[in-house]
Amino acid sequence: MEENSVRGVHSAVDDIRRNVFTEVARLAYEGGDYSRIDLIPYKIVPGEVAKHRHDVFLERAIVQERLRLAVGLPLQPVDVRAPASAGIEAAAAADDKFFEEPLVNIITFACNACPPKQVWVTNACQGCISHPCQAVCPKGAIRVDKDHHSVIDQDKCIKCGKCFNQCPYHAITKIERPCAAACGMDAIESDEHGHAKINYDKCVSCGMCLVNCPFAAIADKSQIFQLINAMKRGAEVIACVAPAFVGQFGDAATPARLKAAMRALGFSDVVEVAVGADLCTIEEANDFLEKVPEKQPFMGTSCCPAWSVMAKKLFPEFKDYISMALTPMVITARMVKKEHPDARICFIGPCAAKKLEANRKSVRSDVDYVLTFEELQGMFDAKDIDFSAMPEDPADGFSDGTAAGRGFAVGGGVAAAVAEVIHRIQPDRQMQMDYGDGLRECRKMLLMAKAGKRDGYLLEGMACPGGCVAGAGTIRPVREEALNVQKYKDQASRKSALDSGFREELPEVEE
C-alpha cells in the first residue's frame, strides 16, 4: 500500500477544512440569524494580509464557497455576486438529505491550474555516454543537445515513465496534478482555463482528489448543518459508527467516552457498525458458496460503494458478479430502525461515497444522514468536547461486534472475514482471494478477471489505498490507524462473524 505523502501530514489545508466544519456546527448549535455565516470568512481569515495566497479577499472567497458546501448548498457561479447566506434558511429548515449532486466539487478560482502529467529532464543530467533514457524511449522523444544533456520533446512524449525509471542519476522527474494522480477513475480533466474539472460520468465520489489537493480547491457537500438542526428540533437521532473510528479522535477517545461525547452533541444513542459488518460477512459467504463457480465465475465484495460503482461503470458485464449483500451501513441502520422505527439514523464513518450510497434509490438504506469523522470532529470542537473529561463506563462501550467485523476497516479485512466463515461452513473448500488496494488496482484486478484469470476467486475492492482507514473523511495517518484497528480487533471477545449475537436477525434485515 502506497500512502500519498499529502495524507497523514497535518497542513494548512486541514486547518481550513476543519475550521469550516467547526464554524458551521457552531452556527447550527447557536441558531438565531443564520445570515451570520457571512461573517465567518472574516473569522477564519482575519486581518489584511493573506497567509497562503497573494490576496486576502481570495482566501475569504474560497472559505465562503467551502462554507456553502458545508451547509449542503451548491457552489455559486464565479460571475454571480451573492453572500454565503444565500439559500441558508432553506438549508436550515430541511428535514431530508437536502444536498443535490454533484457531491464532490472543485472551486475553480481556488485551483492552481497545475500542469497535467509531464516528464522532464532536470539540470542534474550528467550527459553520460550511454544515454539509457534515449535507448528505452519508445517514441524517440529524447534527443541530446550540444552539451550532451538529454532533452525531452514534449510533443512526442507519451509520459510512460520508462526514461524516469532508467536514468542512473535520477535526473528525470515526473510531475502530475495531485488530484489527478489520486483519482483512480481518470476523472480529473481541464477546463478552457487550465483549471481542474471533474468528469462526473467517470467520478465515483471516493474523495481521494479532495484530500490530495494541496490548494484546498476541492470539497464535498456536508449534512452537518441539517443533522444538528434536526436534533435541535427534537428528533431522535441514533449514530452508527464505522469500525475505522478507533483512534480517530485521540487516545483519550475510548469507545465509552466516545459514546458519552456523542450524547453531549445531541445523539440519543450510538451503535457500532461492526455488528452490520458481521452480518454482511455471513451474507457474502453464503452468496459465494451458492454462486461460485456454478452460477458465476467469481464474486466481488459489496461494502465499498466507490469500488462497486466503479466496477459497474467500467465493467458492466460484471455487474451481477458484485455481491448483492447489504453493506454494513445499511444492515446496521435497518437493525436500529427495527428497534426504533421513529428514529433517524446518522452513519458516521471515513467515507465520502457513503453519502451517495445513503441516497440511492435502488436499495432502501434507512440512513438519513452521513457524516465523516472529520465533520464529527468539527461538532466536538464546536461544543468544546474534552474527551479526557468525559465519563467512562466500561459497560457503555462497544461490545457487540466481532473481531471480523472490526477488521472491515483495513484493506483485506473483508475478504479475510468472508473466507473464515466459508472455511467454517465448508472446511475442505479451497479459497482463492485477490484484493484491489485503491481504484487503479481494482481496475487491474477486474482486467485479470476479464481475462479469465480470477475464476473461482473472491475479489475485495477498496477505493481508498489502505482501506477505510484511508478514507477521505479520516483524521489520523493511515498506518497509525491500521495499527489501532488491529489492537481493537484483538480486544474483541468473539472472533468470527458466525459468533455474532445478531446472526438470527439477518433474514429480517434482508427483506
Side-chain angles (χ1 to χ4, degrees), residues 272-398:
E272 61 173 330
V273 176
V275 173
D278 288 327
L279 301 193
C280 175
T281 299
I282 297 170
E283 190 173 11
E284 289 198 341
N286 290 333
D287 282 353
F288 187 88
L289 289 171
E290 177 191 347
K291 296 176 181 177
V292 180
E294 289 80 7
K295 298 179 181 178
Q296 60 191 57
F298 64 86
M299 190 184 85
T301 56
S302 67
C303 61
C304 174
W307 137 260
S308 178
V309 172
M310 180 278 291
K312 293 169 184 176
K313 276 191 175 188
L314 299 185
F315 301 88
E317 67 272 29
F318 294 158
K319 67 181 179 65
D320 294 331
Y321 300 166
I322 306 301
S323 174
M324 293 301 292
L326 300 174
T327 66
M329 176 183 80
V330 173
I331 290 176
T332 308
R334 289 190 178 186
M335 291 172 68
V336 173
K337 279 279 193 182
K338 185 165 69 87
E339 297 294 325
H340 304 272
D342 297 326
R344 296 185 186 178
I345 307 300
C346 178
F347 173 81
I348 298 174
C351 182
K354 286 290 183 184
K355 296 177 181 181
L356 294 186
E357 182 190 340
N359 281 0
R360 68 185 179 185
K361 303 294 189 292
S362 58
V363 176
R364 190 187 84 248
S365 75
D366 281 327
V367 176
D368 299 281
Y369 308 100
V370 174
L371 290 191
T372 65
F373 295 135
E374 193 173 42
E375 291 164 342
L376 182 63
Q377 182 65 61
M379 294 174 68
F380 288 141
D381 291 342
K383 297 290 278 186
D384 297 317
I385 296 295
D386 178 2
F387 280 100
S388 62
M390 283 287 127
E392 184 174 24
D393 179 358
D396 199 31
F398 295 142

Side-chain angles (χ1 to χ4, degrees), residues 29-43:
Y29 277 122
E30 291 177 356
D33 182 4
Y34 290 125
S35 68
R36 302 192 318 280
I37 194 174
D38 294 327
L39 302 177
I40 294 177
Y42 297 88
K43 181 178 181 180

Side-chain angles (χ1 to χ4, degrees), residues 20 48 80-81 113 124 130 141-145 177 195 198-199 280 286 324 337-338 360 369 374 451 465 498 511:
V20 165
E48 301 177 4
V80 172
R81 292 189 62 185
S130 63
I142 300 179
R143 63 179 174 83
V144 178
D145 66 13
R177 281 179 170 163
H195 296 121
I198 298 173
N199 182 335
C280 175
N286 290 333
M324 293 301 292
K337 279 279 193 182
K338 185 165 69 87
R360 68 185 179 185
Y369 308 100
E374 193 173 42
L498 287 176
E511 292 177 358

Side-chain angles (χ1 to χ4, degrees), residues 11-13 15-16 44-45 49-55 59 215:
S11 69
V13 173
D15 290 334
I16 293 169
I44 294 178
V45 186
V49 180
K51 290 178 64 177
H52 309 297
R53 300 176 186 266
H54 67 276
D55 190 328
E59 289 192 348
F215 290 94

